[in-house]
Amino acid sequence: DFLILFFCLPVVIFNEITKKRLLGDVSCRIVPFMEVSSLGVTTFSLCALGIDRFHAATSPQASTRPIEQCQSIIAKLAVIWVGSMTLSVPEILLWQLAQDTSPVNGVVTEYCTMKPSSNLPESVYSLVLTYQNARMWWYFGCYFCLPILFTISCQLVTRRIRGTEKGECRGTKHGQCESHLNCTIIALTVIYGLCTTPENVCNIVVAYMSPDMSKQTLDLLNLINQFFLFFKCSVTPVLLLCLCRPLGQAFMDCCCCCCEGCGPDTTSSEGSADSKLKTEMSSSIFFDKPRETPPPLLALGTPC
């Protein structure tokens, strides 16, 4: 989300204001690649979170499940990111820069067009052309239906399994934390679905009605799609920080530490240590392992 807002958003704004493409042909290839990669990362992350919640619900000893090792988490993130970027590689070969001269004032405008380069090898050109023809339904099935249906299925199965239990853990803190995590995943999925629905609708409409639509209408639809993508990238981190209390508290502590310069103030150090202790105790809910006794303050280190 940060990369989309930091790189793609300025390029799109610059293009709309000046009618010139910033970085030329490079941006025409990199921006779609990053946007589709972002959708892939979100899609597979939601699927991974759904699987994790399912395992937490079906584990015979869910309340005492050990904390997942850092190497395992990094491996999962690597698979998600590398897989998303690999599936987005055809976007680099599909787009290229084009120019159009206005018949009214003769101004040359630059825009990106979805057209494989004829300089590609024949085998690669054939694959890219096949991807272009199937892009709409691949986009709809993989980046829209997959995360939504996967999340709904995992939530239904999880609720079904928990509904068959005797309810011993429903009133406990662990059960409340599990419900809170499920609500967080559902909220992220709802935001993702709402922001990607207009783009998929526009893609289907354009695929069947593009000969009857003007270039201005197509450009407007493309701009609307990118606006919803930027909106999703802006809302998702804020929503995650608000719903995930340990993550939000850690973020606020980090920002306060950087702003105050990590001064040796005793009062602020004690307050930060107490806050970090609460964060450490509450963060255990995200690893399905409650702590019986709070850790000692000396083990927390500095407030930073």
Side-chain angles (χ1 to χ4, degrees):
D1 293 334
F2 173 77
L3 292 176
I4 292 294
L5 296 175
F6 182 78
F7 181 79
C8 298
L9 181 59
V11 171
V12 173
I13 294 177
F14 182 85
N15 182 56
E16 291 299 320
I17 294 177
T18 63
K19 300 303 179 182
K20 298 292 182 180
R21 196 70 184 181
L22 187 64
L23 301 179
D25 187 66
V26 176
S27 66
C28 281
R29 300 177 185 273
I30 297 299
V31 170
F33 170 76
M34 294 182 63
E35 291 177 348
V36 178
S37 297
S38 174
L39 295 178
V41 169
T42 305
T43 294
F44 301 133
S45 296
L46 290 175
C47 294
L49 291 173
I51 295 175
D52 181 75
R53 292 299 91 206
F54 175 76
H55 285 168
T58 57
S59 177
Q61 296 179 347
S63 59
T64 60
R65 196 174 67 167
I67 298 177
E68 188 174 3
Q69 297 295 325
C70 182
Q71 293 81 356
S72 176
I73 298 176
I74 293 177
K76 292 179 180 179
L77 292 176
V79 170
I80 291 174
W81 277 79
V82 173
S84 301
M85 296 176 67
T86 302
L87 293 176
S88 305
V89 168
E91 296 288 332
I92 300 178
L93 306 176
L94 181 61
W95 295 85
Q96 60 178 326
L97 183 67
Q99 295 181 345
D100 187 20
T101 303
S102 175
V104 179
N105 50 18
V107 177
V108 178
T109 59
E110 296 179 346
Y111 64 96
C112 297
T113 180
M114 190 184 300
K115 182 180 179 181
S117 176
S118 57
N119 297 327
L120 294 174
E122 184 177 355
S123 58
V124 177
Y125 181 84
S126 177
L127 291 176
V128 175
L129 196 61
T130 303
Y131 173 80
Q132 180 182 2
N133 296 331
R135 183 178 184 271
M136 177 192 67
W137 294 112
W138 165 255
Y139 205 92
F140 177 74
C142 181
Y143 299 129
F144 181 77
C145 295
L146 178 62
I148 294 178
L149 295 179
F150 203 93
T151 302
I152 293 176
S153 301
C154 289
Q155 291 297 322
L156 291 177
V157 174
T158 302
R159 290 179 181 273
R160 178 68 176 177
I161 293 175
R162 290 188 175 179
T164 59
E165 296 177 353
K166 297 180 180 180
E168 297 178 356
C169 300
R170 291 183 180 178
T172 62
K173 184 178 179 180
H174 177 75
Q176 295 176 356
C177 296
E178 288 294 327
S179 300
H180 182 74
L181 286 176
N182 290 332
C183 293
T184 302
I185 297 176
I186 292 175
L188 294 175
T189 306
V190 169
I191 292 296
Y192 178 79
L194 291 177
C195 293
T196 54
T197 297
E199 182 171 5
N200 286 277
V201 173
C202 291
N203 289 339
I204 295 175
V205 172
V206 170
Y208 291 99
M209 299 180 60
S210 57
D212 302 330
M213 302 174 68
S214 62
K215 183 179 178 301
Q216 290 76 12
T217 304
L218 296 176
D219 293 340
L220 178 61
L221 292 177
N222 184 44
L223 183 62
I224 293 175
N225 296 336
Q226 289 184 321
F227 167 78
F228 277 101
L229 177 62
F230 298 144
F231 179 77
K232 178 193 76 70
C233 294
S234 303
V235 171
T236 301
V238 177
L239 181 66
L240 190 59
L241 290 176
C242 292
L243 295 179
C244 183
R245 296 177 183 177
L247 181 61
Q249 184 62 44
F251 179 78
M252 294 302 298
D253 291 344
C254 181
C255 292
C256 294
C257 179
C258 295
C259 294
E260 295 177 1
C262 301
D265 187 9
T266 305
T267 305
S268 62
S269 298
E270 292 178 355
S272 179
D274 293 339
S275 175
K276 200 169 187 65
L277 174 61
K278 295 178 181 179
T279 302
E280 181 71 16
M281 294 174 62
S282 60
S283 64
S284 63
I285 67 175
F286 290 87
F287 299 98
D288 307 309
K289 180 183 178 182
R291 298 180 184 269
E292 297 179 357
T293 58
L297 289 176
L298 295 177
L300 292 177
T302 64
C304 299

